[in-house]
Amino acid sequence: MATQASESDVIIIGGGHNGLVCAGYLARAGRSVRVFEARDVLGGAAITEEFHPGFRNSVYSYSVSLLHPQVIADLSLERHGLEIMERAAGTLSLLDNDHLLLTRDDAQARAEIARFSARDADRIEQFESEISTVAIALRQLAIQSPPDFGGGWRDLMQLLSAGNVARKLGAQAQKVLATLMTSSLGDYLDSWFEGEALKGVLGLEGVIGNFASPYQSGTAYILLHHAFGEVGGRAGAWGIARGGMGAISDAMASFARAQGVALETGTPVEEILLDGKKAVGVRLADGRTFNSRQVAANVHPQTLLTRMLDPSLLNEEDRRRVDGYRSHSATFRMNVALSELPQFTSMAGRGDAHFQGAIEVSPSLAYIDQAYLDAKQTGWAKKPVISMQVPTTQDDSLAPPGAHVASLFCQHFQRHLPSGQSWDDVREQVADEVINTIDAYAPNFKGAVLGRQIKTPLDIERDLGMIGGDIFHGALHLDQFYAMRPIPGYASYRMPVDNVFLCGSGAHPGGGVTGLPGRNAAQAMLRSR
Ligand SMILES: Cc1cc2nc3c(=O)[nH]c(=O)nc-3n(C[C@H](O)[C@H](O)[C@H](O)COP(=O)(O)OP(=O)(O)OC[C@H]3O[C@@H](n4cnc5c(N)ncnc54)[C@H](O)[C@@H]3O)c2cc1C
């Protein structure tokens, strides 16, 4: 098929939220932009769908905190329909015949922690302040392009700027940062607290999307990654988007369209076209070709560097690093349509306020570790770590009156089952086990389920192209972080071929609905001549 006559300044491969953000920034700066999205819907892992008649919910990502306020402001997302509501309640952690209820009232939370350990109650404030001080530094680094090893003067300036952020932290926070970067989650929490319930619920943040034992070095960092966000100016807070996560992508798409971006769905890109070592456009799976001066890829880094580009363009060392890029977050996601709210035995007579927060099944670090060990051995956790959210308690647009939807976000579930079975063979059985796990705390739960949507690690890979089912487009471990993401030498969004940029979660600062890889890549593209 012939090359299309029209040429745009930029083609973006993938209309995930980062592709849309990248498109929005570039178009705002006057570039003509065309986005090709493989699926029939824009938004990638940030979409809302009807999964049971009359019941809608976010399909993959479900909770907002990391979406950067600068992105919200620059792309006028509120004017384009986005409403983010902070979760009104705190966290309910379910325990055998008990619970740990940490509301947003500090005095209540301290008293609740003291039921398990008075020493922990004395320390919690200092712990939270330690994490949030360091998270501030991370927030600053997240919005800057990392330096490339052996780069030019701009990389040197970036390195100096990053050094300055670390310098401003002061000696105490620098020590904390170094500890969080190198410690295991388990050792770090053990050094602070003695109550198993508290360590379990705090530890959950560290295993989200991170297939590792909580006692593996480097795992403490994920605590920080999940703390660098904010909602409505409140640091570390989490919220929900009215209408589900699709509302975020819809607002981004609406802004992009208003700037003249051409958004095309059902158009998978097969290959990036080169003239020598310079990109000149793309070829779609249907054979059509389109020219552009720059190409930005919102896809997984391995897809870009080994499938859309000829891998022989990489030198041997880089090829080895790309092949060895770790991508397996071991995540299983379900939505359930509910005829009534679950009645947690230990919360009988305590009202429903806790449904406006996070409800966690993560009773101890030992429980988290066992979930990891089971998944390593048999493919999935027999007793999974589960984070539950019931958005219908704050958003009446998702279910019929009186009914509810719940998001269930579960760890650990390996992408490849050691038995050699396919996830398609075991999905219903595993979903039953997830429901049984919750039913043990709320015996009306199973009976209240009217319908369910299951996303196994295979579905996540198959639907979105997230290799290994990795929700972050690659593990957020230290060797795949900052100047090392996705691999050393390609951290500044520029790829080994001229005019090709990475604008998805495989780039700094990594996964989550942040908009930052898209924003930062757009800045790099605007700087590039
Ligand atoms: C189950 C799950 C739960 C999560 N929960 C949360 C959460 O609660 N909060 C949070 O902040 N983050 C969460 N995350 C992480 C977050 O959603 C992702 O890191 C983020 O949405 C990725 O955005 P992206 O734009 O970089 O990539 P994606 O969303 O992966 O977008 C990439 C796009 O590229 C398209 N594409 C792929 N190949 C091609 C091709 N050949 N041609 C054209 N298009 C192509 C894909 O279809 C997709 O639309 C979750 C993720 C998952 C999967």
Side-chain angles (χ1 to χ4, degrees):
M1 213 172 275
T3 300
Q4 305 294 301
S6 69
E7 170 170 311
S8 40
D9 293 327
V10 180
I11 286 175
I12 296 183
I13 307 172
H17 88 280
N18 275 313
L20 297 172
V21 167
C22 190
Y25 274 100
L26 291 168
R28 192 180 74 148
R31 302 283 161 100
S32 61
V33 184
R34 196 185 271 275
V35 176
F36 291 116
E37 165 54 45
R39 307 186 79 206
D40 291 333
V41 58
L42 292 166
I47 59 167
T48 305
E49 206 172 83
E50 185 177 64
F51 67 97
H52 183 74
F55 292 80
R56 299 185 316 128
N57 200 10
S58 307
V59 181
Y60 309 97
S61 62
Y62 63 102
S63 203
V64 197
S65 171
L66 309 172
L67 182 58
H68 203 279
Q70 190 71 52
V71 173
I72 297 177
D74 288 346
L75 305 191
S76 312
L77 296 184
E78 286 168 358
R79 200 150 47 76
H80 286 269
L82 179 62
E83 184 187 347
I84 294 176
M85 299 172 281
E86 187 175 353
R87 284 199 301 225
T91 300
L92 171 68
S93 179
L94 301 169
L95 310 172
D96 286 343
N97 301 314
D98 201 351
H99 57 255
L100 178 70
L101 176 65
L102 305 175
T103 69
R104 288 175 47 189
D105 172 347
D106 289 345
Q108 180 281 335
R110 259 198 315 277
E112 180 77 345
I113 293 168
R115 277 205 304 124
F116 299 84
S117 159
R119 198 189 79 172
D120 290 357
D122 288 342
R123 289 185 166 185
I124 189 71
E125 214 170 305
Q126 199 191 339
F127 170 83
E128 283 173 348
S129 126
E130 179 163 304
I131 297 278
S132 58
T133 310
V134 182
I136 290 170
L138 210 68
R139 223 168 278 149
Q140 291 168 25
L141 291 184
I143 200 148
Q144 298 176 7
S145 172
D148 266 331
F149 294 98
W153 64 270
R154 190 181 296 281
D155 296 273
L156 190 61
M157 295 308 287
Q158 287 302 133
L159 195 61
L160 288 174
S161 161
N164 200 32
V165 170
R167 186 189 61 80
K168 280 203 241 151
L169 275 177
Q172 179 53 27
Q174 285 168 8
K175 279 190 257 173
V176 174
L177 181 60
T179 306
L180 282 165
M181 291 294 185
T182 50
S183 297
S184 81
L185 175 70
D187 287 330
Y188 182 68
L189 290 175
D190 286 340
S191 76
W192 273 97
F193 303 117
E194 57 191 10
E196 288 308 324
L198 182 62
K199 287 189 279 185
V201 73
L202 294 173
L204 182 139
E205 293 291 342
V207 293
I208 286 181
N210 186 18
F211 185 50
S213 159
Y215 284 96
Q216 183 179 308
S217 296
T219 44
Y221 162 70
I222 307 275
L223 276 178
L224 269 186
H225 188 79
H226 286 110
F228 85 68
E230 61 180 84
V231 170
R234 220 168 68 82
W238 284 81
I240 54 173
R242 177 176 291 282
M245 298 298 276
I248 297 177
S249 302
D250 288 349
M252 290 170 174
S254 168
F255 176 83
R257 268 190 209 100
Q259 303 292 318
V261 175
L263 298 170
E264 303 198 23
T265 54
T267 49
V269 171
E270 193 76 23
E271 179 190 14
I272 295 177
L273 301 173
L274 303 184
D275 177 5
K277 257 197 118 189
K278 191 174 86 176
V280 291
V282 300
R283 182 169 58 78
L284 304 188
D286 65 14
R288 284 182 295 157
T289 59
F290 291 84
N291 289 339
S292 65
R293 278 188 275 280
Q294 291 179 320
V295 175
N298 183 198
V299 300
H300 191 284
Q302 286 172 323
T303 305
L304 170 65
L305 294 169
T306 66
R307 294 191 209 155
M308 291 186 169
L309 289 168
D310 183 345
S312 67
L313 291 164
L314 292 168
N315 67 36
E316 207 177 309
E317 186 193 341
D318 290 344
R319 177 72 205 267
R320 183 174 50 77
R321 287 183 190 273
V322 170
D323 288 344
Y325 183 72
R326 286 187 316 289
S327 189
H328 54 198
S329 66
T331 304
F332 185 96
R333 175 82 170 80
M334 281 177 74
N335 281 321
V336 286
L338 296 172
S339 58
E340 60 176 349
L341 289 171
Q343 289 156 20
F344 298 111
T345 315
S346 75
M347 291 294 285
R350 303 281 299 264
D352 290 338
H354 52 280
F355 286 106
Q356 298 194 355
I359 297 168
E360 321 283 30
V361 180
S362 184
S364 65
L365 288 172
Y367 181 99
I368 297 175
D369 206 14
Q370 193 58 48
Y372 168 73
L373 293 172
D374 282 351
K376 226 169 151 99
Q377 206 169 28
T378 65
W380 67 88
K382 300 293 160 242
K383 295 247 178 251
V385 176
I386 303 174
S387 198
M388 178 197 250
Q389 193 167 276
V390 188
T392 34
T393 53
Q394 286 184 264
D395 178 356
D396 60 8
S397 74
L398 300 172
H404 291 278
V405 295
S407 310
L408 307 177
F409 190 36
C410 317
Q411 334 283 320
H412 287 294
F413 298 80
Q414 281 207 67
R415 161 66 186 87
H416 297 284
L417 299 173
S419 65
Q421 281 175 297
S422 162
W423 269 104
D424 288 335
D425 300 328
V426 296
R427 53 192 294 123
E428 299 296 334
Q429 174 197 342
V430 174
D432 286 344
E433 288 176 20
V434 169
I435 287 186
N436 287 340
T437 303
I438 298 173
D439 207 60
Y441 299 98
N444 72 326
F445 185 66
K446 202 188 296 187
V449 175
L450 302 169
R452 63 193 195 182
Q453 178 178 46
I454 303 167
K455 293 293 177 189
T456 69
L458 170 62
D459 294 318
I460 293 171
E461 179 178 272
R462 203 163 41 191
D463 295 355
L464 301 166
M466 290 181 161
I467 294 175
D470 194 304
I471 69 169
F472 296 145
H473 288 202
L476 284 172
H477 295 162
L478 277 189
D479 59 342
Q480 299 187 167
F481 172 75
Y482 194 55
M484 313 277 278
R485 191 168 185 86
I487 61 165
Y490 299 109
S492 60
Y493 308 93
R494 288 170 296 205
M495 293 291 109
V497 171
D498 282 351
N499 303 341
V500 177
F501 296 79
L502 182 66
C503 70
S505 295
H508 174 74
V513 180
T514 65
L516 291 178
R519 174 203 173 270
N520 295 355
Q523 311 279 350
M525 293 169 79
L526 291 170
R527 280 196 303 267
S528 167
R529 282 160 224 279

